[in-house]
Amino acid sequence: NAGVMQNPRHLVRRRGQEARLRCSPMKGHSHVYWYRQLPEEGLKFMVYLQKENIIDESGMPKERFSAEFPKEGPSILRIQQVVRGDSAAYFCASSGRVDTEAFFGQGTRLTVV
Amino acid sequence: DQQVKQNSPSLSVQEGRISILNCDYTNSMFDYFLWYKKYPAEGPTFLISISSIKDKNEDGRFTVFLNKSAKHLSLHIVPSQPGDSAVYFCAASVLTGNQFYFGTGTSLTVIP
């Protein structure tokens, strides 16, 4: 059973382009979380999704960022019109239940040039 | 507002000795606590957790202690090994809530 899979591992985008980050949760997990880690900082919550539903997006910037977790396929974190400040490591985590530990993927390192 | 705090950014310990990593939280509603370990360029790996109904949980060389009155938890690693060198994150959640709140991490170096 593969763990949480994120791709790509590294993504370089020019300012103004779109970034799409993908996350396939562990098999059987229906809860997906996205976190961002800026340089020299801890992990900051962005959004929590269940299949086809956004449960909590209180950590998402109001503009340019969106997330989805469709019935089929991976969860997608989409950043439109990227800016240099979006450069960070983006981690996805999944859990089988809301009251258990979450397992993290290896992250996508986004660099905006 | 940092609800989970790890005030020591780094810690160095001799191999074989005990490593103690500390974590404080401010939200009294938190009832589930976790420790994650992270190597550079990798995702955090779950280590150990504890619910608020307990004050201690042990798993091999790792023990987590919870002091609810002080809103403090700690992770003890004994004996420490060089492979334990990593960044350790403390996290907390409300079991009925939607997210884990993470501290800023403590970088542990175990010296051979």
Side-chain angles (χ1 to χ4, degrees):
Chain A
N1 179 22
V4 178
M5 303 299 291
Q6 288 187 251
N7 68 83
R9 291 290 308 275
H10 300 274
L11 182 60
V12 179
R13 284 288 178 264
R14 295 187 184 279
R15 279 179 296 172
Q17 290 184 320
E18 178 179 288
R20 278 183 178 242
L21 289 65
R22 294 174 187 79
C23 169
S24 295
M26 285 181 70
K27 188 175 181 181
H29 283 187
S30 59
H31 302 264
V32 167
Y33 310 82
W34 284 93
Y35 283 81
R36 175 166 65 173
Q37 186 178 24
L38 294 168
E40 307 302 323
E41 292 189 17
L43 294 156
K44 299 293 186 186
F45 169 79
M46 298 183 75
V47 62
Y48 162 47
L49 310 101
Q50 294 182 25
K51 280 287 186 182
E52 301 185 271
N53 290 305
I54 297 174
I55 307 301
D56 182 350
E57 56 181 349
S58 58
M60 288 273 272
K62 293 291 184 285
E63 298 177 348
R64 303 188 297 108
F65 286 71
S66 62
E68 63 177 10
F69 188 16
K71 188 177 180 181
E72 301 291 338
S75 175
I76 306 287
L77 179 67
R78 183 181 175 206
I79 311 171
Q80 296 177 290
Q81 299 174 329
V82 295
V83 300
R84 288 241 172 94
D86 297 332
S87 296
Y90 292 82
F91 292 97
C92 168
S94 74
S95 66
R97 301 197 322 254
V98 70
D99 59 346
T100 60
E101 66 273 14
F103 294 88
F104 281 81
Q106 292 193 298
T108 294
R109 274 140 193 89
L110 172 66
T111 303
V112 179
V113 297
Chain B
D1 178 29
Q2 191 71 26
Q3 298 191 50
V4 178
K5 298 177 184 178
Q6 293 177 259
N7 293 318
S8 298
S10 61
L11 175 68
S12 291
V13 172
Q14 286 290 135
E15 181 178 5
R17 299 286 186 99
I18 184 170
S19 295
I20 300 176
L21 296 96
N22 293 305
C23 178
D24 297 293
Y25 60 95
T26 58
N27 189 342
S28 58
M29 298 296 292
F30 287 148
D31 51 13
Y32 186 55
F33 305 88
L34 312 91
W35 284 94
Y36 283 85
K37 173 181 177 180
K38 185 180 181 303
Y39 292 117
E42 293 188 14
T45 302
F46 170 74
L47 265 180
I48 193 169
S49 65
I50 188 168
S51 74
S52 59
I53 61 173
K54 293 185 172 182
D55 54 20
K56 177 183 174 182
N57 189 26
E58 192 172 351
D59 184 1
R61 296 186 298 114
F62 301 91
T63 303
V64 56
F65 295 91
L66 175 63
N67 182 335
K68 289 185 288 294
S69 60
K71 295 194 182 70
H72 177 85
L73 69 157
S74 60
L75 175 69
H76 292 210
I77 307 172
V78 55
S80 301
Q81 299 173 354
D84 296 329
S85 298
V87 177
Y88 289 78
F89 289 97
C90 166
S93 71
V94 177
L95 282 176
T96 55
N98 295 328
Q99 60 171 288
F100 299 93
Y101 294 83
F102 282 82
T104 51
T106 296
S107 178
L108 173 66
T109 302
V110 179
I111 304 164

